[in-house]
Amino acid sequence: MSQDRFPRGKTAIVSTATYGMGEAPGFSSMDLAVSASVRALGAVGLKPSDVDGLFIGLPDDFLSGLTFAEYLGITPKVTDNNRTGGSAFLTHCMWAALALEAGQCDVALVAYGSNQRSASGGLVSAMRPSPYEVPYRLPRPVGAYALATSRYMHQYGLKREQLGEVALAARKWAQLNPDAFVRDPLSMEEYLKSRMVSDPLSVRDCCLVTDGAAAIVMTRADRARSLAKKPVYILGNAASARHRDITSMPDLTTTAASISGPRAMAQAGVTPKDIDVVEVYDAFTINTLLFLEDLGFCKKGEAGAFVEGGRIAPGGELPVNTNGGGLSCVHPGMYGLFIVIEAAQQLQGTAGARQVKDARLAVAHGNGGELSSQVTMVLGTEETL
């Protein structure tokens, strides 16, 4: 069996940027992605012509890697248009780190944009209907996550109030984030009375539908220190996938994060107890619970009790989804890159009112498809090298 290796701390994120958060009428998905990219590059004195590694996957352009290069007017050495759903951008970071460390490129740009809220065409979905599921008219993707939630409730006695703790914590973090799309107060009573979408998931269990773009710039560690005041180092990055359709998921209560998480943390040489900030892909409230368990922050079946009492909310023991997450901050079709950006900003100390004190280690975890593709990154400050 091959040894699981990763160039720990050899590459770093030197800049991050978002653009068009919430609503951005008049912009295409590519317009938004390029706008975030130019902003991220400019923040560290770089130009598009300095970039020789491009990583992107848009919801409405399956050749977006080529379109991106054309739009920027550059000829990159490496272009990756890999699509695994919302987790794709954490996979992009993994391949960017490997390409940088191998000398295949010197400056890697990872970007995403979507105008799914304001576009006249509405939501674009890459989810094709499964011929085995069509007769049952499963609404996608919410129905798939409702199946997982129902099974978890049956198996572990999860209460709706415990799902509500996830939604309330996300909203409280969003209220500290001026870029969050939804910042109105949310009470448990309001959560419990919210409109049901796919039983047992209500509208408050589901992510937002927004526009938005994100971009990060990566270089090798030796150059990072000359570009950024406080680079964020990639200590571990691992991926895993078990299925595509929810009806092929071996166990609806356990995701492949149980594989990617331990691998990434072993690469980084850390354990869940060492982590200061956790950012996970919360397309639905059940995601946060499943990922907290599968990544090792609590035991299987215990996440409902784990999040009670504001444990993952501001002031709680474990800061989770500190920007407000996909539930209250932003969710433009695929949310993965925003997770990485929030983790990086927390480690750089630039998160403003939501800043976690003395944050040195962060986990960013992406999910794609129907609990299908799982990718875990461990990020750290210079003190953790």
Side-chain angles (χ1 to χ4, degrees):
M1 181 180 294
S2 63
Q3 185 179 354
D4 192 356
R5 295 190 299 270
F6 184 81
R8 182 189 189 279
K10 299 296 185 181
T11 59
I13 297 169
V14 295
S15 183
T16 68
T18 60
Y19 191 87
M21 298 271 279
E23 292 180 324
F27 288 84
S28 70
S29 296
M30 184 60 75
D31 290 335
L32 291 168
V34 169
S35 296
S37 298
V38 172
R39 179 179 287 186
L41 290 166
V44 287
L46 295 175
K47 305 181 298 297
S49 57
D50 295 314
V51 177
D52 53 3
L54 289 182
F55 301 81
I56 192 170
L58 297 187
D60 52 0
D61 183 352
F62 282 83
L63 294 179
S64 53
L66 305 182
T67 311
F68 196 31
E70 179 179 271
Y71 199 130
L72 291 174
I74 64 175
T75 307
K77 299 175 183 175
V78 177
T79 305
D80 192 339
N81 198 183
N82 162 51
R83 292 173 63 96
T84 55
S87 62
F89 310 97
L90 288 84
T91 308
H92 292 166
C93 292
M94 179 176 69
W95 290 119
L98 295 172
L100 286 164
E101 199 269 339
Q104 289 291 312
C105 63
D106 296 312
V107 177
L109 175 62
V110 184
Y112 175 70
S114 171
N115 64 346
Q116 70 164 33
R117 183 178 180 88
S118 61
S120 58
L123 177 64
V124 176
S125 176
M127 298 295 288
R128 57 159 176 78
S130 163
Y132 307 107
E133 297 173 2
V134 167
Y136 302 98
R137 299 182 180 179
L138 183 72
R140 312 286 288 273
V142 62
Y145 287 85
L147 283 174
T149 308
S150 296
R151 179 60 192 176
Y152 189 98
M153 285 180 159
H154 170 77
Q155 192 161 327
Y156 296 111
L158 177 70
K159 303 173 184 177
R160 278 207 68 214
E161 288 84 353
Q162 293 171 322
L163 285 173
E165 289 278 359
V166 175
L168 266 61
R171 185 62 59 85
K172 289 176 181 176
W173 282 113
Q175 289 179 303
L176 300 176
N177 181 5
D179 288 331
F181 188 58
V182 179
R183 304 179 67 199
D184 300 332
L186 177 64
S187 69
M188 183 62 75
E189 181 181 6
E190 290 170 326
Y191 166 82
L192 293 173
K193 289 181 178 179
S194 59
R195 173 176 56 86
M196 195 61 64
V197 177
S198 184
D199 193 11
L201 298 180
S202 77
V203 67
R204 297 297 173 221
D205 292 296
C206 303
C207 64
L208 304 172
V209 177
T210 71
D211 299 335
I216 68 171
V217 180
M218 293 172 54
T219 67
R220 283 183 289 278
D222 55 1
R223 186 180 183 187
R225 295 179 183 91
S226 66
L227 290 172
K229 182 178 180 181
K230 195 170 184 180
V232 173
Y233 299 90
I234 302 178
L235 307 181
N237 201 336
S240 186
R242 283 197 177 117
H243 66 282
R244 196 262 191 213
D245 296 316
I246 195 70
T247 50
S248 295
M249 188 173 178
D251 180 348
L252 289 172
T253 68
T254 302
T255 75
S258 60
I259 300 172
S260 65
R263 282 182 56 212
M265 291 194 204
Q267 293 168 356
V270 302
T271 69
K273 292 182 180 179
D274 300 317
I275 303 300
D276 301 306
V277 182
V278 180
E279 311 293 344
V280 299
Y281 199 118
D282 60 339
F284 302 92
T285 50
I286 188 63
N287 293 34
T288 301
L289 301 181
L290 293 176
F291 297 150
L292 285 173
E293 292 175 349
D294 293 342
L295 294 173
F297 292 96
C298 58
K299 294 180 180 178
K300 181 56 63 178
E302 296 183 358
F306 182 84
V307 301
E308 288 181 333
R311 192 175 200 164
I312 63 173
E317 180 181 335
L318 182 66
V320 175
N321 293 345
T322 50
N323 63 347
L327 292 171
S328 286
C329 179
V330 67
H331 197 288
M334 293 186 282
Y335 172 61
L337 195 52
F338 297 89
I339 296 170
V340 179
I341 286 179
E342 178 63 17
Q345 290 181 349
Q346 286 288 343
L347 297 184
Q348 290 174 323
T350 60
R354 66 188 188 279
Q355 179 65 50
V356 175
K357 185 179 179 181
D358 299 327
R360 298 168 64 249
L361 286 167
V363 162
H365 180 80
N367 165 73
E370 297 173 343
L371 295 172
S372 311
S373 167
Q374 306 298 328
V375 188
T376 310
M377 293 178 66
V378 180
L379 304 175
T381 61
E382 189 164 3
E383 293 84 359
T384 64
L385 294 180

